[in-house]
Amino acid sequence: LSKTHDYSQFHAAKLALFWNMEENNKLIKRVARRHGSAYAKLKPVDKANWKSLSLSHDHKEIVNLSNEKTVEIRAFRGSLNPYTIRACFSLSYLSWVYCRQENITVDDLTTRHLLDWCNQSQKTRNPQISYCWTHLRNYLVANKFFKNDEQNIELRPYVEK
């Protein structure tokens, strides 16, 4: 993910918080398929004291900020499956865009809020968000991420081109 001209440390803090929060583990583990690796260290975080989250530049943290021009999310186990690769890329991209929204607070950094935001953003016809959300959503459905009562998200058939 690129540290563009409108990138800020606040965006990085929100992204690091999202990826390190225990309440998001179910989503992250389902897509990333890597659990407890030394190559993607998690930081213990407390939402109440999120400002004390150290944005260190340890290149083995789950959100690696050590590169000058990019942010690396190290959560993912390797795959040759194109559906899995797209889902991994999509979760990275969507979480980055979501965390860069100015109106997103620390309390909004949850799986449910992210998925609701993706669903609403798709309706605005943003092509990148729509593309990524379609791949992520279909991957999550295929991998039984949602319980029956949670499938209030509009599902469209997946069409591979």
Side-chain angles (χ1 to χ4, degrees):
L1 303 170
S2 176
K3 292 181 181 176
T4 59
H5 65 282
D6 58 347
Y7 163 86
S8 74
Q9 288 287 46
F10 181 57
H11 298 141
K14 289 195 294 186
L15 185 69
L17 188 60
F18 177 84
W19 281 86
N20 281 285
M21 284 174 37
E22 189 173 327
E23 62 197 85
N24 297 325
N25 278 350
K26 181 182 172 191
L27 171 69
I28 292 167
K29 284 180 179 179
R30 185 65 55 99
V31 177
R33 305 157 343 276
R34 179 186 272 179
H35 314 293
S37 170
Y39 297 101
K41 294 186 268 183
L42 291 170
K43 285 183 170 185
V45 295
D46 177 12
K47 251 204 288 201
N49 299 318
W50 71 272
K51 290 182 182 178
S52 66
L53 177 68
S54 166
L55 293 180
S56 69
H57 294 283
D58 179 354
H59 74 281
K60 290 190 176 180
E61 287 181 6
I62 196 165
V63 178
N64 174 11
L65 302 169
S66 64
N67 189 300
E68 187 177 313
K69 296 184 180 190
T70 62
V71 173
E72 176 188 18
I73 298 176
R74 300 180 52 90
F76 307 103
R77 196 173 103 202
S79 177
L80 296 176
N81 183 325
Y83 300 108
T84 301
I85 294 168
R86 285 187 199 108
C88 293
F89 169 79
S90 295
L91 179 58
S92 299
Y93 177 77
L94 291 168
S95 65
W96 175 238
V97 174
Y98 178 70
C99 289
R100 289 177 57 197
Q101 305 299 307
E102 296 300 325
N103 61 333
I104 301 302
T105 67
V106 173
D107 291 330
D108 297 328
L109 297 176
T110 64
T111 297
R112 182 81 257 163
H113 281 99
L114 172 68
L115 298 180
D116 288 344
W117 174 84
C118 289
N119 200 40
Q120 289 302 318
S121 295
Q122 182 181 17
K123 294 176 184 174
T124 66
R125 307 273 190 246
N126 179 312
Q128 290 92 355
I129 291 173
S130 183
Y131 175 85
C132 289
W133 175 227
T134 299
H135 287 288
L136 179 60
R137 180 189 58 228
N138 289 320
Y139 180 87
L140 293 174
V141 169
N143 286 281
K144 298 176 178 38
F145 177 78
F146 300 108
K147 296 176 188 166
N148 289 337
D149 60 336
E150 291 180 323
Q151 288 203 21
N152 58 351
I153 294 174
E154 293 177 32
L155 299 175
R156 293 189 314 196
Y158 178 77
V159 178
E160 181 67 26
K161 295 185 180 185

